[in-house]
Amino acid sequence: MAASRIVFVMYHELELAGRKLCQSEPGYVRYILPIETFRSQMAWMKKSGWRGLNVGEALRYPAEASVCITFDDGCETDLVAAAPVLGEFGFNATFYLTAGFLGTPGYLHASQVRDLDAQGFQIGCHSMTHPYLPDLTDPELKHEIVDAKLQIEQIVGHAIEHFSCPGGRYDQRTLRMARHAGFATVANSEFYANSSSTSPYELGRVAILRALTLEQFGDACRGRGLWKKRLQHQARRGAQRVLGNRAYDNLRAVLMRKSRP
Ligand SMILES: [Zn+2]
């Protein structure tokens, strides 16, 4: 029997009518889905017989058709928008929180994190201040990985085992630090499905973008066409390496502004 492959999908903040987003630049908004879009994706999964798992459950790589659902950044909509929809369909998910953002406008408060945890959702860590980790010195990296883990553990009162990299950026030093800190897994945002032969420290994830159609979402769940996205992604990463992360982001912001109507 072929080993089961599971696509890990990556969401961010959700858009609710009348509610201000945490950030407004186009590079951020392209990762933000209206709640109705998210709900229709979950409904599609349910109707098609897919299960929605958190990272811990997905790592057992069950044979049943499954998608691993993850959220980055720790926005308040994790609790007020995503959790009720997930509950409605009987799905679980992992919410990776940026520890230093907790309690600031638009992000979860400590009591809301405990609420998500008590509802049975899995809480993970997404650094302290959301920097590109490979750009940091060792002490800075320790703060982003070790201190962030401790801070979230203090809120929920139990171990936090799963980490996701801000902006998907990581290097071997990042992974070593995460392992030493006691994380069992690290997720990035490279376009590949995971299986029992994938390193738990290099879990690929597929970003679900605002512009994705329901059909494209279905393809993503099935792992279709990921190779193509991966090639595009590698080209972008190459440009980022040549230009440096900061210069690349500035250039991208300018290009995205130009392409707007
Ligand atoms: Zn993030």
Side-chain angles (χ1 to χ4, degrees):
M1 193 189 91
S4 88
R5 287 164 79 245
I6 300 186
V7 169
F8 287 39
V9 294
M10 171 175 66
Y11 291 102
H12 294 80
E13 185 174 17
L14 295 177
E15 185 178 274
L16 292 171
R19 189 186 159 92
K20 200 166 162 280
L21 294 175
C22 288
Q23 295 178 45
S24 58
E25 61 270 29
Y28 179 83
V29 175
R30 69 194 280 265
Y31 287 96
I32 307 306
L33 273 62
I35 176 74
E36 296 78 14
T37 307
F38 174 68
R39 196 177 181 287
S40 65
Q41 293 176 351
M42 296 301 107
W44 179 88
M45 275 176 56
K46 189 77 183 176
K47 199 174 77 176
S48 312
W50 292 81
R51 301 196 304 159
L53 308 179
N54 66 34
V55 171
E57 294 166 336
L59 287 173
R60 293 196 281 271
Y61 294 106
E64 299 85 11
S66 308
V67 174
C68 177
I69 304 171
T70 72
F71 286 81
D72 278 1
D73 298 350
C75 295
E76 209 174 7
T77 56
D78 288 357
L79 178 73
V80 302
V85 173
L86 292 165
E88 182 185 337
F89 294 106
F91 295 158
N92 208 302
T94 297
F95 294 96
Y96 294 107
L97 315 181
T98 307
F101 291 0
L102 299 175
T104 65
Y107 294 90
L108 295 163
H109 291 255
S111 62
Q112 294 176 310
V113 174
R114 283 190 285 271
D115 190 350
L116 265 184
D117 184 61
Q119 287 185 36
F121 293 108
Q122 185 168 51
I123 306 298
C125 178
H126 189 52
S127 84
M128 185 68 90
T129 67
H130 210 277
Y132 291 143
L133 300 175
D135 297 349
L136 304 181
T137 63
D138 281 345
E140 287 168 342
L141 191 61
K142 189 162 176 279
H143 180 63
E144 296 294 336
I145 295 179
V146 179
D147 296 350
K149 182 178 196 285
L150 292 173
Q151 189 167 315
I152 299 172
E153 286 176 343
Q154 257 165 13
I155 293 172
V156 295
H158 61 75
I160 295 296
E161 298 186 318
H162 306 288
F163 185 86
S164 71
C165 302
R169 310 293 209 287
Y170 71 100
D171 55 12
Q172 290 308 312
R173 194 176 55 120
T174 308
L175 302 186
R176 266 198 309 277
M177 180 77 80
R179 198 161 38 220
H180 287 154
F183 283 108
T185 74
V186 175
N188 54 51
S189 43
E190 305 288 329
F191 289 93
Y192 52 84
N194 302 310
S195 72
S196 52
S197 58
T198 307
S199 162
Y201 292 96
E202 291 191 75
L203 297 171
R205 286 189 301 165
V206 176
I208 303 302
L209 300 179
R210 187 183 186 92
L212 216 63
T213 64
L214 197 55
E215 194 188 352
Q216 289 170 324
F217 175 77
D219 285 347
C221 293
R222 296 186 185 97
R224 275 189 200 149
L226 292 183
W227 63 271
K228 206 163 146 192
K229 288 206 171 90
R230 212 176 159 189
L231 282 182
Q232 291 163 348
H233 193 66
Q234 281 164 355
R236 272 199 302 278
R237 281 284 189 266
Q240 283 154 0
R241 262 192 298 277
V242 171
L243 294 170
N245 284 326
R246 179 90 33 96
Y248 176 85
D249 281 357
N250 291 340
L251 178 65
R252 177 166 167 263
V254 169
L255 292 175
M256 290 194 75
R257 232 171 281 140
K258 276 207 181 122
S259 67
R260 285 168 88 195

